[in-house]
Amino acid sequence: MSPEILHKYQVESTKFLIQEMGEEAAKLSMFLKDIEELCLQHGKFFDSRTGENSHSHAIKFGNYVPGLKGNWAFSIELRPTGWFVTMPCNGRNGVTNEMFIKSSIPNIVNSTNHTKVESKFCDRVLVWISEGLKQGALASNTGRLPFYPANNPKQLKA
């Protein structure tokens, strides 16, 4: 596990959950590292922040400049026993059907236009993210370093 990676995402609302995960925290650490490597390969970067209120357990990824309204690409929902990824589907937020086909993730039609993918399928999520970055479909930024929950001035460091 890479504590440096997890440290960037630990704020008051996520620290306890990450510590309680046990072995799943190591898998989360690798997944976050893999996301950062994909971003480097594509030259596009995700800002991240924690959700608010009932979503404070989620690490949201997209284009989030502190103090401004952002655009959501996907989120990692944390639980004491593990984590899963929530992503838009059915064309919401610019995602394409091709992203789902290439990643073998079902583009589920439901009332929320979200789909959840368990952590055991994180390799598929990485394909989805890579395809979304390649297509320019996911909210990301270029030309500046990304913001993380721990360096977002609106958040308290844990």
Side-chain angles (χ1 to χ4, degrees):
M1 175 169 50
S2 174
E4 302 83 36
I5 294 283
L6 286 178
H7 183 72
K8 293 188 274 189
Y9 298 93
Q10 287 189 42
V11 293
E12 208 56 47
S13 62
T14 62
K15 184 177 183 178
F16 174 77
L17 293 170
I18 291 171
Q19 290 172 345
E20 290 295 305
M21 279 184 206
E23 290 184 24
E24 279 292 306
K27 192 173 186 178
L28 174 61
S29 176
M30 284 302 303
F31 183 64
L32 292 168
K33 183 177 179 288
D34 290 343
I35 290 171
E36 289 187 3
E37 287 175 2
L38 277 176
C39 289
L40 285 170
Q41 289 172 12
H42 289 281
K44 298 177 182 176
F45 303 93
F46 294 117
D47 297 312
S48 55
R49 65 176 181 85
T50 53
E52 297 174 3
N53 303 323
S54 64
H55 298 282
S56 64
H57 61 277
I59 303 170
K60 299 177 73 130
F61 293 81
N63 192 2
Y64 296 112
V65 175
L68 301 174
K69 186 168 174 64
N71 294 311
W72 176 67
F74 63 94
S75 58
I76 300 173
E77 311 277 337
L78 306 176
R79 301 288 183 266
T81 57
W83 52 276
F84 59 90
V85 178
T86 299
M87 56 186 60
C89 57
N90 303 326
R92 182 177 177 184
N93 294 16
V95 300
T96 66
N97 197 45
E98 187 177 2
M99 293 165 62
F100 288 93
I101 292 169
K102 289 194 175 191
S103 64
S104 301
I105 297 172
N107 191 0
I108 299 171
V109 176
N110 61 32
S111 61
T112 64
N113 288 326
H114 295 102
T115 191
K116 293 181 180 181
V117 180
E118 295 295 327
S119 63
K120 65 183 176 183
F121 300 112
C122 63
D123 57 329
R124 294 182 186 183
V125 176
L126 291 171
V127 172
W128 184 87
I129 292 169
S130 181
E131 189 60 29
L133 288 170
K134 184 171 90 177
Q135 293 179 19
L138 295 178
S140 59
N141 69 73
T142 59
R144 67 171 170 80
L145 294 175
F147 290 101
Y148 294 96
N151 73 2
N152 185 329
K154 291 179 76 174
Q155 300 291 333
L156 297 175
K157 291 187 180 183

